[in-house]
Amino acid sequence: MPANKYDIETETENDSYLNLGGKPADDKFAVIYFLWIGGVSVCSTAAVLNSLKYFDHKFPKRDVEFIFPLPSMVVPLLVSFIITPLSNLLSYSTRVVLTMSLVIVSLILTPLLADAFQDTTFGFVVSLALLIFMGFCNNVCYASIAGFTSQI
């Protein structure tokens, strides 16, 4: 066992960071937690991107296939500016649970509101705002999980 976890010279093959067999139980949990929640946070964006035809049908006069993928590219930049102040206000677990809950609510509301306000500017703007909000929550969750796993 290395004298400290950063002592690379005394690290054995079983202690490799890529070998889950040699890691303590807490590290295995962190890796599984990171992979599971990371995958879940990508699912909501994939669901929206796979439903572009639905939104294109609901808003035929808008360029949905160009505009709706933009939040997934722009929002990570916004999150990078706010994640540090947000991490001072909320704990890791609070950020993860809160943002995942808000993503679920956004995933439910987005198609319902698109259906209720189809072919209107209001419906398009609300759907786009929900996508931006959902992307924000996804990125906060993913950054929080990365921070959580780096602490273990």
Side-chain angles (χ1 to χ4, degrees):
M1 188 81 185
N4 87 40
K5 69 180 185 179
Y6 302 108
D7 190 5
I8 296 172
E9 293 175 7
T10 59
E11 185 176 341
T12 65
E13 186 176 317
N14 288 336
D15 292 329
S16 169
Y17 288 104
L18 299 176
N19 181 5
L20 290 177
K23 291 182 155 256
D26 289 339
D27 287 350
K28 287 180 187 176
F29 171 75
V31 168
I32 291 168
Y33 188 72
F34 179 76
L35 293 175
W36 177 258
I37 300 296
V40 168
S41 68
V42 173
C43 287
S44 61
T45 303
V48 170
L49 292 177
N50 287 326
S51 63
L52 286 178
K53 296 280 185 199
Y54 170 80
F55 290 109
D56 195 34
H57 176 71
K58 294 297 177 185
F59 307 108
K61 297 175 185 169
R62 310 277 187 239
D63 193 9
V64 170
E65 292 186 359
F66 176 76
I67 295 175
F68 273 31
L70 289 178
S72 64
M73 294 179 250
V74 175
V75 171
L77 178 65
L78 300 174
V79 170
S80 66
F81 293 118
I82 198 166
I83 192 65
T84 303
L86 192 60
S87 67
N88 292 331
L89 294 174
L90 301 170
S91 69
Y92 290 120
S93 57
T94 302
R95 286 192 312 260
V96 170
V97 171
L98 180 65
T99 56
M100 279 291 102
S101 301
L102 292 172
V103 165
I104 291 169
V105 170
S106 297
L107 280 171
I108 293 169
L109 285 178
T110 303
L112 291 176
L113 291 175
D115 194 42
F117 299 107
Q118 65 182 355
D119 206 15
T120 64
T121 302
F122 177 76
F124 182 76
V125 170
V126 167
S127 296
L128 187 60
L130 280 170
L131 291 179
I132 292 170
F133 178 72
M134 183 172 43
F136 177 80
C137 290
N138 273 336
N139 284 287
V140 168
C141 179
Y142 195 73
S144 300
I145 291 167
F148 173 73
T149 16
S150 70
Q151 297 296 318
I152 293 183

